[in-house]
């Protein structure tokens, strides 16, 4: 579930996704489509986007489940339940963060969502307040001295990601989908990986196929991101209600048993 919030030595201006004019179709699927609206719905429990707001583009095929009411109902149902059940835990974690280190309990950062639109992602703050150079995001590493003592615990257990339940409820994220990266990462990798921008055809996820298959954490080599992207594209093409439920179950298992988070 957990995804790093930064990348070392990356400093590039953000660029738009490459366009393509060729359209192909696959039985049972619509052409690849992109949301053309300029902003996200502002209301809580936002419903799926209307197809009137979508246009055909690119040379990929689109899985209609990804904007279906079934997927949105799964998001709202599970996210609402988790928020109610874990409310005491969330409040306690926020209070400990405020008392254990200076700064706010929540960390906010701009990420790229569906259709290439920016949104604000929420996480529990796990690092000390620090200054970083503009347009540069430094990725967390093992033994990173910026991480607080309590921050190590919430990152290891992925509790730091739980505030993204709010992103799921307001419609900027889904429970399952490609994990959103920092905008600087997106600009960097869009230049270097030809199909990277295809991740923006769907809502980003709290967890994803890549994360439950070990393609999580730092991406020091281009091949690491290419491996993660391969899982993301596989999910986009094959997503279903059953797939989402399997990924969510695997995510819980990862949270309880995995030691890969840091």
């Amino acid at each position: 579930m957990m995804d790093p919030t930064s990348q070392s030595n990356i400093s590039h201006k953000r660029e738009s996704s490459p366009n393509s004019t060729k359209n192909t179709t696959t039985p049972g699927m619509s052409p690849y489509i992109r949301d053309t609206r300029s902003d996200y719905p502002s209301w809580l429990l936002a419903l799926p986007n209307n197809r009137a707001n979508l246009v055909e583009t690119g040379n990929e095929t689109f899985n209609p489940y990804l904007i279906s009411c079934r997927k949105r109902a799964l998001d709202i149902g599970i996210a609402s339940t988790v928020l109610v059940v874990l409310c005491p835990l969330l409040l306690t974690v926020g209070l400990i963060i405020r008392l254990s280190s200076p700064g706010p309990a929540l960390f906010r950062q701009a990420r790229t969502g569906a259709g290439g639109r920016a949104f604000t992602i929420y996480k529990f703050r796990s690092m000390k307040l620090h200054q970083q150079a503009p347009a540069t995001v430094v990725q967390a590493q093992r033994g990173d001295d910026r991480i607080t003592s309590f921050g190590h615990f919430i990152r290891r257990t992925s509790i730091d990601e739980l505030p993204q339940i709010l992103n799921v409820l307001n419609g900027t994220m889904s429970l399952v989908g490609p994990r959103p990266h920092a905008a600087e990462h997106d600009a960097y990798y869009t230049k270097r990986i030809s199909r990277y921008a295809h991740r923006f055809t769907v809502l980003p996820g709290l967890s994803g196929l890549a994360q439950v298959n070990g393609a999580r954490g730092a991406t020091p080599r281009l091949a690491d991101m290419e491996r993660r992207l391969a899982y993301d594209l596989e999910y986009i093409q094959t997503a279903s209600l059953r797939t989402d439920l399997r990924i969510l179950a695997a995510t819980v298992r990862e949270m309880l048993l995995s030691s890969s988070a840091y």
Side-chain angles (χ1 to χ4, degrees):
M1 176 182 289
M2 191 175 72
D3 192 58
T5 60
S6 51
Q7 173 75 30
S8 59
N9 300 323
I10 294 179
S11 178
H12 294 280
K13 293 183 179 179
R14 185 176 173 186
E15 63 184 38
S16 59
S17 304
N19 294 321
S20 174
T21 58
K22 180 182 178 182
N23 286 322
T24 61
T25 59
T26 296
M29 288 189 176
S30 305
Y32 160 77
I33 52 182
R34 175 176 58 88
D35 195 321
T36 59
R37 294 180 303 174
S38 61
D39 56 5
Y40 284 95
S42 59
W43 57 88
L44 192 63
L45 307 182
L47 296 176
N49 295 330
N50 189 307
R51 282 185 177 273
N53 295 316
L54 300 168
V55 296
E56 297 182 4
T57 184
N59 58 359
E60 294 297 307
T61 54
F62 182 78
N63 184 343
Y65 167 75
L66 293 169
I67 57 169
S68 70
C69 288
R70 288 180 298 155
K71 184 171 179 61
R72 187 58 186 152
L74 179 70
D75 286 345
I76 294 175
I78 293 182
S80 299
T81 302
V82 169
L83 184 62
V84 171
V85 172
L86 296 185
C87 186
L89 172 64
L90 298 176
L91 293 175
T92 301
V93 170
L95 180 61
I96 293 174
I97 293 173
R98 288 299 306 271
L99 295 177
S100 61
S101 65
L106 288 180
F107 169 76
R108 298 172 175 84
Q109 189 179 55
R111 300 290 174 97
T112 307
R117 293 171 293 160
F119 73 99
T120 299
I121 197 171
Y122 302 106
K123 302 179 70 169
F124 278 126
R125 181 175 59 84
S126 61
M127 291 187 175
K128 304 169 187 174
L129 294 180
H130 61 280
Q131 296 291 330
Q132 61 184 24
T136 300
V137 183
V138 182
Q139 190 172 41
Q141 306 290 334
R142 289 190 184 275
D144 198 317
D145 59 6
R146 296 172 299 164
I147 303 176
T148 65
S149 298
F150 188 63
H152 282 291
F153 169 73
I154 61 175
R155 291 174 73 92
R156 186 172 63 252
T157 57
S158 294
I159 290 175
D160 64 322
E161 308 286 0
L162 290 178
Q164 288 160 45
I165 293 170
L166 300 176
N167 288 112
V168 174
L169 290 175
N170 71 17
T172 55
M173 290 181 64
S174 178
L175 288 174
V176 181
R179 283 292 295 161
H181 302 146
E184 291 81 1
H185 293 189
D186 291 329
Y188 179 84
Y189 290 116
T190 296
K191 291 180 179 179
R192 290 161 174 79
I193 304 177
S194 61
R195 302 182 69 198
Y196 182 86
H198 293 194
R199 304 173 81 251
F200 307 142
T201 61
V202 299
L203 287 176
L206 188 59
S207 185
L209 185 62
Q211 284 63 48
V212 300
N213 280 282
R216 60 186 291 186
T219 54
R221 302 173 304 163
L222 194 64
D224 297 323
M225 184 57 74
E226 290 174 336
R227 177 171 177 255
R228 182 180 299 176
L229 176 64
Y231 281 116
D232 291 338
L233 297 181
E234 179 183 348
Y235 172 77
I236 291 171
Q237 293 297 308
T238 63
S240 66
L241 181 60
R242 178 178 296 182
T243 299
D244 277 4
L245 292 173
R246 288 177 175 174
I247 291 175
L248 290 173
T251 298
V252 174
R253 184 172 62 249
E254 282 282 309
M255 290 178 64
L256 297 175
L257 303 177
S258 176
S259 60
S260 61
Y262 51 86

